[in-house]
Amino acid sequence: MNLEKFPSIIAAFSFAALSVVVAYEWGYFGVVGRDFQSYFTTYDYFSDLIVASGPAFVVMLIIVVVQIALYRKDNFKKPGKPKSIIGKWFDEWSLETIYLVLAITAILFSDQTRLSAFYLLLAFIYIRVANYILSYDALKPHRLQPLGLATVILPAMMIASYGVGRDGAYSDLANLRFEHELRLKNTLASRPIHLLRLLDKGALIVEAGSSTIDFIPKEEIVLLRQALPTWEKRSLACRYWAWGCK
């Protein structure tokens, strides 16, 4: 590899990763409140990028492995002649049919707070459609080029990330744990809160007994405290079957 291209490669990967993080925040703040996203700074996005790099890599690896396993060199057509019109149609569009049925099933049997499986299926469907379009002779030379790969992989990653962010917001709001204490200027007592996000400009919180989401500027925060975490010291066998307990 030409070392002169290395900065460009790093910039491209950084742009792709940042795009996935931005899509996650779109999904998250689409539930929490769009106006709160205006408090996000470049520092917050890059902080999220560091935290999300591991899960994003795993999701991308899963998508790539699944698509490699399903890829056919003959433009997604199975060999042999089908015996009927229905057989011919299903041979050519079997995977798309399966994806569509799974997506409809995900919509029917998932509530509003858990639709990440639906968005993941949308990501797979997008990859199939993009690969099908790029399989035409005029576009084939560009399919394995950086722009062609980005056209296929990056939007799919953003779709999946949007769904994960959306479900993450519902999960945060449904499982309020008032493990933090917050004290503001001109107050003597701390109050229990659920910390949604700690941003460069302040904190996004839910107070105990409140039905609203509040943004507290960092200039107003005097103390933010969390209790030490606890963990289970007994093994799984000990907890459920009383085996090997000390």
Side-chain angles (χ1 to χ4, degrees):
M1 181 181 65
N2 191 345
L3 293 179
E4 294 180 355
K5 295 182 179 180
F6 189 73
S8 300
I9 294 173
I10 295 297
F13 273 106
S14 299
F15 171 78
L18 191 60
S19 299
V20 174
V21 169
V22 170
Y24 177 90
E25 298 302 347
W26 285 345
Y28 189 90
F29 284 98
V31 176
V32 173
R34 290 287 182 202
D35 294 336
F36 288 122
Q37 196 170 5
S38 63
Y39 291 111
F40 252 61
T41 65
T42 304
Y43 172 84
D44 295 315
Y45 282 115
F46 278 99
S47 297
D48 284 355
L49 178 59
I50 294 173
V51 174
S53 58
F57 176 77
V58 172
V59 173
M60 182 177 67
L61 185 63
I62 292 174
I63 291 176
V64 171
V65 169
V66 170
Q67 290 305 310
I68 290 175
L70 298 177
Y71 177 72
R72 304 190 187 100
K73 293 182 179 179
D74 54 348
N75 291 345
F76 309 107
K77 295 180 181 180
K78 292 182 179 178
K81 295 181 179 180
K83 297 180 180 180
S84 64
I85 297 176
I86 296 177
K88 179 180 179 180
W89 179 85
F90 189 76
D91 271 356
E92 294 184 2
W93 299 98
S94 57
L95 288 175
E96 286 74 10
T97 304
I98 293 172
Y99 282 154
L100 182 60
V101 170
L102 289 175
I104 293 174
T105 303
I107 293 175
L108 292 177
F109 293 98
S110 298
D111 60 26
Q112 185 180 0
T113 65
R114 296 185 179 181
L115 284 175
S116 57
F118 169 72
Y119 284 97
L120 185 60
L121 286 168
L122 280 183
F124 281 121
I125 292 173
Y126 171 82
I127 289 177
R128 292 289 294 172
V129 172
N131 274 329
Y132 185 79
I133 293 174
L134 291 175
S135 67
Y136 286 97
D137 293 337
L139 299 176
K140 269 185 180 181
H142 306 288
R143 182 164 57 180
L144 297 179
Q145 297 297 321
L147 182 59
L149 292 174
T151 302
V152 175
I153 298 297
L154 183 55
M157 289 285 294
M158 293 179 68
I159 292 171
S161 183
Y162 180 91
V164 173
R166 184 181 181 280
D167 283 10
Y170 278 114
S171 178
D172 283 350
L173 296 175
N175 302 296
L176 297 177
R177 298 185 300 273
F178 300 97
E179 300 173 342
H180 292 80
E181 290 184 12
L182 178 70
R183 183 159 63 90
L184 304 179
K185 284 182 179 180
N186 303 322
T187 60
L188 298 176
S190 300
R191 48 188 177 181
I193 63 163
H194 174 78
L195 182 64
L196 290 173
R197 289 294 183 87
L198 189 60
L199 307 177
D200 185 37
K201 291 185 176 181
L204 205 60
I205 67 167
V206 178
E207 291 192 45
S210 173
S211 59
T212 62
I213 299 171
D214 300 319
F215 176 79
I216 309 297
K218 70 178 181 180
E219 293 82 8
E220 297 294 324
I221 299 174
V222 175
L223 174 69
L224 182 62
R225 180 166 54 194
Q226 180 182 9
L228 288 173
T230 59
W231 54 89
E232 181 58 62
K233 295 182 179 180
R234 297 174 298 167
S235 67
L236 182 68
C238 175
R239 294 201 303 269
Y240 291 98
W241 301 290
W243 296 344
C245 295
K246 297 180 181 179

